[in-house]
Amino acid sequence: MANLHATTPVSAPGKSQESSGDADFGKRNGATPLHIHTGDNDIFGETSEELDQDRMKEIAAAGNAHFHRLGWKRLAVVTIVEAVALGALSLPAAYRTLGMFPGVFLTITLGFMSIFTSWIVGQVKLKYPEAASYADAGKLLLGRIGYELFGAALILELVMVVGSHALTGSIALSTLADGRICSIIFSAISAVILLLLAIPPSFTEVAILGYVDFGSILAAVAITIIATGVQANHSSTGLSGVNWSAWPQPGVTFSQAFVAVSNIIFAFSFAIGQFSFMDEMHTPNDYMKSIWASGIIQILIYTITGALCYAFVGSGIRSPALLSAGPLISKIAFGVALPVIFISGSINSTVALRYLHGRMFKNSVLRYIKTPMGWASWIGLVIAFTIAAWIIAEAIPIFSDLLSLASALFVSGFSFWIPAIMWFKLLCKGSPFSKANLPISIGSIVAFIIGAVTLVAGTYSTIVDIVS
């Protein structure tokens, strides 16, 4: 949300700010509502005749307090659930294409590389606290062109991700109904649920739902793993008869392999919302606690889910993975997974909409979403964004291809090659190849290569796979 906060909150020693009063918080953090004005060109802007200065002060103080309540534990939950739903559901099919060993190796390697690049993103946020979104980071790198370019990429990526959630929700609801109702109806229902869950504008509120979300995906994955394991064990050939492979099977094309790689990269897409998430933290310096917690948990979930589901089902594994557990168990798993499908999607909507809303109302108290017109503008954006995501879901109704396209075009940059450039341009002091800087510089070069190759080869491969 562009330029929403001009100051970085400082925690009082020995006192948590999670439950601080709104007005006191605004005073402690140096909120400067006296300088806030409503621009004549702001959509829905409320003029000074409608809101006197005292009222504007109250709104600004309450707004600053409301959007600075996020602690590192809740941030860890938000970053986990932002990506883990679709990531966990797409990994087993990626392992089928790549083989067990490459799949596990890439999951662990890319996971730790994502933790590294998220550290870089966080360091940029700490050095430039005014950067409230990835678009602002683009401005730091390339000026106004970067701001517009990164802002457009942010919106396009997130609208595709939310579309993926709408598609997954449609698949889940259709599975629960045995396909008796047209899929487009379920897709529309999914979009409405995503819309309603995206209405709360603060990540602190969303994080509360995130606990439900996290429990939901763990339960759904556990049900699928246990069910597929039992089915494999009770088959005529037993577990030894499952036709999984340690390496890619003959006949796998380059395009198919890179779509699978892109799906693994998509699973670690939490860096895209990191500027927005950290902008709400009451103690931003704690961000690495969240990144380590969420990164390690995601690596464990993805590796265990991908490896075990593939080992138990073999080449017949489907995408999303919950479809592989048999008709009855798939229904149970999808029923349990419904919260994660929709809550995770709504978090991505909130990231995109906070940027859009903050940009539209940069010079207006409407950006705090504390007035009737503020709420009207916010809900209007939620509706428009969700409709766009639903249209994309209908246009690319193939789960793995939609994730792969989003990953190749955008996650490759937000999570890999852009943080690498940030290190060299915004953070590195002195020679990048000095003794102190060399390890980070080498890691950044590797991240840049991963992102650049994924951008080119992943986009090409996904287009080929969609066309074929």
Side-chain angles (χ1 to χ4, degrees):
M1 191 161 53
N3 297 324
L4 176 58
H5 308 295
T7 58
T8 302
V10 179
S11 298
K15 182 177 180 180
S16 171
Q17 292 177 342
E18 292 276 3
S19 60
S20 300
D22 284 359
D24 290 341
F25 190 99
K27 292 175 183 177
R28 277 199 308 271
N29 287 279
T32 54
L34 286 172
H35 299 289
I36 295 172
H37 62 279
T38 51
D40 292 335
N41 59 346
D42 282 332
I43 301 175
F44 298 125
E46 299 184 29
T47 67
S48 58
E49 294 178 355
E50 296 170 290
L51 285 171
D52 59 26
Q53 289 296 317
D54 289 339
R55 176 59 178 152
M56 290 172 67
K57 292 178 187 178
E58 294 174 3
I59 293 172
N64 273 286
H66 188 71
F67 290 113
H68 277 103
R69 298 178 297 144
L70 193 63
W72 75 265
K73 294 178 183 178
R74 286 188 178 181
L75 174 59
V77 172
V78 171
T79 54
I80 289 170
V81 302
E82 180 200 9
V84 76
L86 300 185
L89 300 185
S90 66
L91 263 291
Y95 280 30
R96 174 195 62 200
T97 302
L98 297 171
M100 184 71 78
F101 180 78
V104 171
F105 174 79
L106 285 172
T107 302
I108 296 173
T109 302
L110 292 172
F112 279 105
M113 184 58 67
S114 297
I115 293 173
F116 167 70
T117 54
S118 290
W119 172 80
I120 293 177
V121 171
Q123 290 300 303
V124 173
K125 173 61 179 174
L126 294 179
K127 185 175 180 179
Y128 303 94
E130 70 276 10
S133 70
Y134 229 119
D136 293 328
K139 189 174 184 179
L140 293 173
L141 290 172
L142 299 170
R144 183 57 185 259
I145 293 176
Y147 180 69
E148 300 295 345
L149 184 63
F150 280 38
L154 179 74
I155 298 304
L156 287 172
E157 150 72 358
L158 291 172
V159 78
M160 292 177 71
V161 172
V162 176
S164 299
H165 283 270
L167 177 59
T168 309
S170 174
I171 294 171
L173 294 174
S174 180
T175 300
L176 292 172
D178 289 324
R180 290 191 295 265
I181 300 176
C182 178
S183 62
I184 195 171
I185 295 177
F186 284 131
S187 179
I189 293 173
S190 296
V192 171
I193 296 173
L194 287 166
L195 186 158
L196 294 174
L197 289 174
I199 289 177
S202 169
F203 294 117
T204 304
E205 283 93 7
V206 173
I208 296 172
L209 293 175
Y211 291 108
V212 177
D213 188 307
F214 186 52
S216 169
I217 191 61
L218 288 181
V221 166
I223 289 170
T224 303
I225 291 174
I226 293 171
T228 54
V230 170
Q231 290 169 6
N233 190 52
H234 289 172
S235 65
S236 58
T237 56
L239 290 172
S240 60
V242 180
N243 61 336
W244 64 270
S245 172
W247 302 98
Q249 296 185 8
V252 173
T253 65
F254 175 82
S255 296
Q256 292 171 335
F258 226 93
V259 167
V261 173
S262 296
N263 280 342
I264 295 177
I265 287 176
F266 179 89
F268 297 103
S269 60
F270 48 87
I272 188 172
Q274 192 171 333
F275 284 103
S276 301
F277 297 152
M278 288 182 66
D279 203 52
E280 283 203 17
M281 292 187 74
H282 58 67
T283 312
N285 286 325
D286 285 346
Y287 82 98
M288 274 310 295
K289 296 178 182 178
S290 304
I291 298 302
W292 276 114
S294 62
I296 295 298
I297 289 172
Q298 287 184 65
I299 290 172
L300 290 174
I301 291 175
Y302 295 151
T303 304
I304 293 171
T305 303
L308 290 182
C309 284
Y310 180 46
F312 292 154
V313 180
S315 59
I317 194 75
R318 299 173 67 184
S319 185
L322 303 187
L323 291 170
S324 303
L328 176 60
I329 302 300
S330 289
K331 288 183 181 181
I332 296 172
F334 269 121
V336 173
L338 286 178
V340 72
I341 292 170
F342 295 121
I343 295 172
S344 295
S346 69
I347 292 175
N348 287 282
S349 294
T350 303
V351 173
L353 295 170
R354 286 284 299 278
Y355 160 68
L356 283 174
H357 195 267
R359 177 172 179 169
M360 290 172 64
F361 305 110
K362 179 172 61 177
N363 296 320
S364 170
V365 292
L366 296 188
R367 73 184 186 272
Y368 296 115
I369 316 175
K370 285 286 185 178
T371 67
M373 293 306 293
W375 276 107
S377 61
W378 173 259
I379 293 173
L381 276 179
V382 172
I383 293 172
F385 184 83
T386 307
I387 290 175
W390 177 73
I391 291 173
I392 288 176
E394 290 301 307
I396 311 178
I398 306 170
F399 179 72
S400 61
D401 283 337
L402 185 52
L403 294 190
S404 178
L405 186 60
S407 175
L409 287 174
F410 304 116
V411 177
S412 61
F414 291 127
S415 293
F416 293 96
W417 64 263
I418 295 175
I421 294 175
M422 287 178 179
W423 160 250
F424 289 109
K425 186 168 182 180
L426 302 177
L427 297 176
C428 185
K429 296 179 180 178
S431 170
F433 302 107
S434 66
K435 185 177 180 179
N437 292 330
L438 185 59
I440 301 176
S441 295
I442 292 175
S444 297
I445 292 171
V446 173
F448 182 86
I449 293 172
I450 292 172
V453 170
T454 303
L455 173 63
V456 177
T459 302
Y460 166 79
S461 298
T462 305
I463 293 174
V464 169
D465 201 55
I466 292 174
V467 171
S468 61

